[in-house]
């Protein structure tokens, strides 16, 4: 009867259910196949032990392989699950935690146990303009665009802070009050977005869905312009050069350059191209390369003596490889008995970032035809 029910169940059930049914049948039939003689209490007669053979699949010799297969399958699945859980905990989870903990700007913002968040000032500016000129169809849309542009960085900041703070909160590293402040900030920003869209829809029908897209395009152009300007500032160089006469008169000039390295040509500003200097002067030059924290300054200061008999001549200021070196081309200008010189060309050489010392250089002038 056990064998018939097992076969009927295995004919209809899936493989996993069949394995379970066979294991159940094996547990039920195990006592019936125990070896030795069993003596009847009433008759005293003996029974022969069960013999496994064809047709007796429910005996111990037939049930043991199925039970071992089932136990092996369970052990394999358990091992795979434990390996996956260990991988998540030891590698993925710790890697994410390390990334979270290596965000000093987030922790510096949470030093006071407070998540500071405020709406931009453009919100009040728009409300004031709407009260003063509610029917202005030109100023109101522009003010609303400025409001939406000011909202976008705050939206980006919330999207950046939420996953990091959520990990900290789940690990018990973030106070509950700070987590609530983050949720309040997100709710505040969500309300602000809906208000901007509603105002845009009132001003122009159908503009509500596209106001933030238009604001983002304008913001991206501004960011690109700022990035380009910052790049130009990092590459820019400004030279200030002064020629002091023996009588005390001073002639100052300025020249601009980009990516100054070795004998880089500088452009003398237009207003100084006609300035004349005496043949004998004290020259002081200073060049500023880059901007911000990467700004470097080099200078040199020496006595200059030009040859009055030469129409054109190159003069070098500074020979120290660790400082500023200038090659300046002069053209002679004659006004009767008076002789002067104008600057026709300037080449500058500065040390590289690795070899640049404190920006001060001083060397004698050498004369070259």
């Amino acid at each position: 009867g056990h064998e018939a029910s097992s076969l009927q169940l295995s004919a209809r059930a899936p493989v996993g259910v069949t394995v379970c049914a066979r294991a159940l049948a094996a547990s039920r039939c195990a006592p019936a196949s125990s070896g030795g003689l069993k003596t009847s209490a009433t008759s005293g007669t003996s029974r022969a032990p069960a013999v496994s053979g064809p047709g007796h699949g429910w005996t111990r010799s037939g049930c043991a392989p199925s039970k071992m297969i089932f136990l092996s399958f369970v052990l394999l699945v358990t091992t795979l699950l434990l390996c996956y859980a260990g991988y998540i905990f030891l590698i993925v989870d710790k890697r994410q935690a390390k990334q979270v903990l290596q965000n000093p700007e987030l922790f510096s913002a949470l030093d006071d146990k407070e998540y500071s968040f405020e709406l931009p000032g453009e919100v009040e500016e728009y409300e004031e303009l709407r009260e003063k000129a509610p029917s202005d169809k030109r100023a109101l849309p522009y003010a609303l665009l400025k409001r939406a542009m000011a909202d976008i960085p705050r939206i980006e900041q919330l999207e950046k802070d939420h996953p990091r703070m959520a990990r900290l909160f789940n690990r018990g590293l973030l106070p509950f009050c700070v987590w609530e402040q983050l949720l309040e900030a997100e709710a505040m920003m969500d309300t602000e977005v809906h208000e901007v869209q509603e105002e845009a829809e009132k001003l122009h029908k159908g503009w509500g869905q596209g106001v933030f897209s238009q604001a983002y395009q304008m913001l991206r152009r501004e960011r690109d312009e700022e990035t380009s300007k910052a790049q130009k500032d990092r590459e820019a160089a400004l030279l200030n050069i002064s020629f002091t006469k023996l009588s005390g008169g001073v002639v100052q000039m300025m020249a601009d350059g980009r990516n100054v390295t070795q004998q880089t040509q500088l452009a003398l500003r237009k207003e100084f191209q006609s300035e004349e200097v005496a043949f004998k002067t004290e020259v002081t030059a200073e060049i500023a390369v880059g901007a911000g924290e990467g700004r470097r300054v080099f200078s040199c200061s020496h006595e200059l003596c030009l040859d009055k008999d030469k129409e054109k001549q190159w003069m070098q200021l500074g020979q120290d490889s660790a400082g500023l070196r200038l090659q300046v081309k002069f053209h002679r200008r004659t006004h009767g008995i008076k002789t002067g010189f104008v600057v026709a060309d300037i080449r500058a050489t500065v040390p590289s970032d690795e070899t640049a010392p404190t920006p001060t250089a001083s060397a004698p002038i050498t004369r070259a035809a």
Side-chain angles (χ1 to χ4, degrees):
H2 294 302
E3 181 181 8
S5 63
S6 176
L7 292 176
Q8 292 176 0
L9 183 59
S10 62
R12 296 192 302 269
V15 178
V17 177
T18 304
V19 174
C20 295
R22 288 178 179 176
L24 180 60
S27 64
R28 289 178 177 176
C29 69
S33 61
S34 58
L37 297 175
K38 185 175 181 181
T39 305
S40 175
T42 56
S43 61
T45 60
S46 61
R47 296 180 183 178
V51 180
S52 61
H56 298 278
W58 48 273
T59 60
R60 177 180 296 178
S61 60
C63 297
S66 300
K67 186 175 182 180
M68 293 301 297
I69 293 175
F70 175 74
L71 293 176
S72 300
F73 175 76
V74 172
L75 180 61
L76 177 62
V77 173
T78 304
T79 303
L80 292 177
L81 290 176
L82 290 175
C83 292
Y84 179 74
Y87 171 76
I88 294 296
F89 177 75
L90 296 176
I91 299 179
V92 178
D93 197 50
K94 289 187 177 295
R95 185 185 303 168
Q96 293 177 352
K98 184 178 180 181
Q99 293 175 354
V100 171
L101 296 176
Q102 289 179 347
N103 285 293
E105 70 279 2
L106 178 61
F107 281 101
S108 61
L110 300 176
D111 284 340
D112 298 329
K113 307 296 183 184
E114 181 179 359
Y115 184 78
S116 300
F117 183 85
E118 294 181 356
L119 293 177
E122 284 78 2
V123 177
E124 295 183 0
E125 294 177 2
Y126 177 81
E127 296 297 336
E128 292 176 358
L129 180 62
R130 187 178 62 174
E131 293 179 0
K132 294 179 181 178
S135 59
D136 194 338
K137 298 300 181 181
R138 298 185 60 182
L140 282 176
Y142 180 73
L144 188 62
L145 273 177
K146 289 182 60 179
R147 176 178 174 178
M149 290 171 61
D151 287 337
I152 291 175
R154 288 162 174 81
I155 296 173
E156 295 173 341
Q157 186 63 37
L158 288 173
E159 292 177 348
K160 180 180 178 181
D161 289 344
H162 184 94
R164 298 185 297 177
M165 294 178 67
R167 296 189 187 101
L168 292 174
F169 180 73
N170 291 334
R171 290 172 176 81
L173 301 176
L174 188 72
F176 183 74
C177 60
V178 179
W179 177 252
E180 283 188 328
Q181 291 172 357
L182 174 65
L183 299 181
E184 291 175 0
E186 291 177 339
M188 186 190 307
M189 198 69 247
D190 186 65
T191 303
E192 165 65 9
V193 169
H194 287 296
E195 289 181 358
V196 171
Q197 291 177 336
E198 291 175 359
E199 289 293 326
E201 193 68 25
K202 293 177 182 177
L203 293 173
H204 298 287
K205 187 176 181 180
W207 191 32
Q209 296 298 324
V211 60
F212 276 98
S213 298
Q214 186 177 353
Y216 180 75
Q217 293 176 1
M218 296 174 62
L219 181 62
R220 185 173 60 180
R221 283 197 296 268
E222 287 187 0
R223 289 174 173 175
D224 292 341
E225 292 175 358
E226 292 176 358
T227 302
S228 177
K229 183 180 181 302
Q231 180 65 26
K232 290 181 179 179
D233 292 341
R234 287 192 296 269
E235 298 173 352
L238 176 62
L239 174 69
N240 286 280
I241 185 168
S242 300
F243 300 88
T244 305
K245 301 179 183 180
L246 298 180
S247 60
V250 180
V251 177
Q252 294 184 345
M253 300 182 184
M254 300 177 67
D256 300 294
R258 291 175 59 83
N259 296 320
V260 177
T261 53
Q262 302 292 320
Q263 294 187 352
T264 305
Q265 186 175 19
L266 305 181
L268 187 66
R269 293 187 178 182
K270 188 175 181 180
E271 59 267 28
F272 304 113
Q273 293 178 0
S274 59
E275 291 284 347
E276 295 185 7
V277 299
F279 77 98
K280 192 172 185 180
T281 57
E282 181 73 23
V283 182
T284 302
E286 181 180 88
I287 188 170
V289 181
E293 296 181 356
R295 186 173 182 265
R296 299 179 297 148
V297 181
F298 306 94
S299 63
C300 60
S301 177
H302 298 286
E303 184 179 344
L304 174 66
C305 186
L306 298 172
D307 191 345
K308 293 183 178 180
D309 297 330
K310 291 183 177 179
E311 185 73 23
K312 301 176 182 180
Q313 54 191 305
W314 281 92
M315 299 297 294
Q316 179 168 324
L317 284 70
Q319 292 183 338
D320 187 0
S321 61
L324 171 63
R325 287 173 289 170
L326 292 176
Q327 291 79 36
V328 184
K329 185 178 183 180
F330 294 92
H331 286 182
R332 186 181 64 186
R333 294 288 185 268
T334 304
H335 307 281
I337 61 174
K338 184 179 179 181
T339 302
F341 295 86
V342 296
V343 176
D345 196 359
I346 303 177
R347 309 291 175 93
T349 300
V350 298
S352 61
D353 295 340
E354 294 80 7
T355 61
T358 303
T360 301
S362 180
I365 297 295
T366 59
R367 181 180 302 175

